[in-house]
Amino acid sequence: MIYLGWIVRLMAAKTKSNKQKEEEAPDTEVITMEEQLEPEATIEDLPGVGPATAEKLREAGFDELLALAVMSPGDLAEQAELGEAVAGKIIQAAKKMANIGGFVSGSALLERRREVQKLSSMVQSIDDLLAGGFETQSLVEVYGEFGSGKTQIGHQLAVNCTMPVDQGGFDGDVFYIDTEDTFRPERITQMARGHGLDPEAVLERIHVARAYNSAHQMLLAEEIKRMSRGINVKMIIVDSLTSHFRAEFVGRGMLANRQQKLNRHLKDLKQLADVNNALVLVTNQVMSKPDAMWGDPTKPIGGHVLAHASTFRLYLRKAKGGRRIARLVDSPNLPDGECVYQVCEEGLRD
Ligand code: GTP
Ligand code: MG
């Protein structure tokens, strides 16, 4: 139901007529210091934004100044059905009012970092590796060979995300973009029972959409903004991030195009993480690296674009006796390391 609902709403949103397109005379009002310091500025406070434009912006999912400030004029014009010049002015004004147009002090950053929440995997060894859990405002890439357990981690964290904050969850909803048709509500049910949760209630908070190709996948990520009104979005999962891109853009000649699209997609995802103080989890396959003389002859696909976009990278491997090994490969503030866990019927366990 949720699945269909999302797709239907998406189609309705996209086929909306362009008739509403209405240029509004841009207002060249100067933003005063008081306005900049106004604590609760909303999009209606933007100079040149009348009720009609505000309505369009909200309809396109732009509820906050920050969400506007990080857009490009072309994208905003397209998504909110505005003229590009108007969009440019709105973005400039939002940048000033959201006060993100320049450098901030280390202490201000620390303040923002204080809002970061950690989602527990409910597996002690994994939480230890991540110094407490999976952080909001970050993009976590989980990569490994087929059957290494990437999708299992996605399912488990989706369940955990709905749990109360005092139990290590986010008490939030999950948007799950499924590109390989491997999302299984039955698996969610098992894992929910494993934590003593009501499976129905958990499934109700996981919004799933199947992405049929890379363009559809990108569109779904863009639409989360619009679809999530009134929903406490705390996690976005893309399983798998790269499979469609890999299948569709084949050969050297397509590489630049692929990486450019992937980059754009990752930016949209990172923006969702920042604006919602949410966690983004993406999965990725590995390709064999036959020229590797030492070490593991596999590496994640996606190249530098993905390597730079991920805040944390976890490399999963199968080990003897049904055990799994997760290796933290890349982290801005934690040491690299490994942990061991198991995939059981009730979910991930120590
Ligand atoms: P690809 O998407 O094919 O690249 O693989 P993946 O990394 O997503 O693997 P996935 O997460 O689907 O892991 C599949 C593995 O999880 C299976 O081979 C099983 O070992 C394990 N698994 C899945 N469900 C269960 C379950 O109900 N019980 C147990 N014990 N193990 C399970
Ligand atoms: Mg999978």
Side-chain angles (χ1 to χ4, degrees):
M1 279 304 276
I2 306 166
Y3 182 99
L4 276 177
W6 192 12
I7 292 173
V8 168
R9 283 155 81 192
L10 173 62
M11 288 168 80
K14 278 286 127 181
T15 52
K16 213 174 65 183
S17 106
N18 278 5
K19 263 184 262 154
Q20 298 172 357
K21 209 170 249 184
E22 148 206 14
E23 300 286 299
E24 266 171 51
D27 202 331
T28 46
E29 200 181 302
V30 175
I31 299 171
T32 64
M33 204 57 197
E34 279 113 295
E35 277 170 319
Q36 273 190 49
L37 294 175
E38 208 166 291
E40 295 287 334
T42 65
I43 60 169
E44 279 82 4
D45 299 323
L46 289 165
V49 171
T53 310
E55 169 81 25
K56 279 188 195 176
L57 290 171
R58 288 199 186 280
E59 208 160 278
F62 297 97
D63 288 324
E64 292 182 29
L65 293 175
L66 183 63
L68 287 168
V70 295
M71 292 298 289
S72 74
D75 289 345
L76 181 62
E78 193 189 316
Q79 292 183 28
E81 297 178 353
L82 298 166
E84 199 160 320
V86 178
K89 292 221 160 80
I90 290 175
I91 292 166
Q92 283 312 320
K95 277 183 178 157
K96 285 189 189 143
M97 289 174 74
N99 197 22
I100 53 153
F103 289 94
V104 294
S105 66
S107 48
L109 270 187
L110 190 62
E111 197 51 47
R112 205 170 125 62
R113 289 279 307 158
R114 283 208 182 99
E115 289 173 17
V116 167
Q117 294 169 272
K118 292 188 182 185
L119 179 65
S120 173
S121 63
M122 314 284 163
V123 175
Q124 195 61 49
S125 64
I126 300 180
D127 286 358
D128 287 347
L129 184 70
L130 296 171
F134 294 80
E135 287 186 358
T136 57
Q137 298 174 27
S138 72
L139 191 144
V140 178
E141 177 196 348
V142 175
Y143 70 95
E145 284 179 1
F146 61 91
S148 56
K150 304 179 291 290
T151 298
Q152 299 303 310
I153 289 212
H155 280 61
Q156 183 70 66
L157 291 182
V159 171
N160 296 3
C161 179
T162 67
M163 292 177 71
V165 176
D166 58 12
Q167 290 174 32
F170 283 164
D171 192 13
D173 283 35
V174 180
F175 277 81
Y176 198 116
I177 300 178
D178 180 14
T179 73
E180 301 183 313
D181 204 12
T182 51
F183 178 83
R184 292 290 174 274
E186 301 87 336
R187 195 71 187 108
I188 296 291
T189 300
Q190 289 175 330
M191 289 174 166
R193 291 214 175 98
H195 284 326
L197 304 168
D198 171 15
E200 281 291 313
V202 172
L203 283 166
E204 211 42 57
R205 300 185 79 174
I206 304 176
H207 313 271
V208 187
R210 175 86 206 280
Y212 294 97
N213 54 44
S214 65
H216 188 203
Q217 179 181 335
M218 292 174 72
L219 197 57
L220 286 168
E222 279 173 36
E223 294 300 323
I224 289 177
K225 265 203 301 265
R226 198 199 309 256
M227 300 301 151
S228 61
R229 190 122 11 106
I231 294 177
N232 182 25
V233 190
K234 293 304 289 184
M235 187 170 181
I236 297 105
I237 299 175
V238 187
D239 183 22
S240 125
L241 176 77
T242 44
S243 57
H244 283 319
F245 288 92
R246 189 188 203 181
E248 291 165 28
F249 298 85
V250 182
R252 284 250 147 225
M254 301 283 260
L255 194 61
N257 195 2
R258 183 187 88 179
Q259 292 306 83
Q260 192 196 340
K261 292 234 159 73
L262 194 56
N263 196 26
R264 159 86 197 277
H265 185 40
L266 286 163
K267 275 192 181 147
D268 285 341
L269 292 169
K270 188 64 182 31
Q271 191 187 328
L272 286 168
D274 288 340
V275 172
N276 296 298
N277 191 24
L279 161 67
V280 174
L281 185 96
V282 302
T283 68
N284 189 13
Q285 285 103 344
V286 289
M287 59 179 176
S288 65
K289 203 172 49 174
D291 54 332
M293 295 266 265
W294 294 280
D296 201 323
T298 55
K299 67 173 189 170
I301 64 174
H304 294 302
V305 163
L306 182 51
H308 287 303
S310 335
T311 325
F312 300 93
R313 309 189 100 184
L314 275 181
Y315 176 34
L316 306 189
R317 291 195 319 274
K318 278 191 193 174
K320 277 183 213 131
R323 290 177 310 157
R324 315 276 154 163
I325 299 173
R327 179 171 181 75
L328 182 62
V329 177
D330 197 3
S331 147
N333 56 339
L334 298 172
D336 287 6
E338 285 191 346
C339 72
V340 180
Y341 63 95
Q342 264 173 333
V343 180
C344 315
E345 193 184 311
E346 315 79 55
L348 309 189
R349 293 290 181 270
D350 270 299

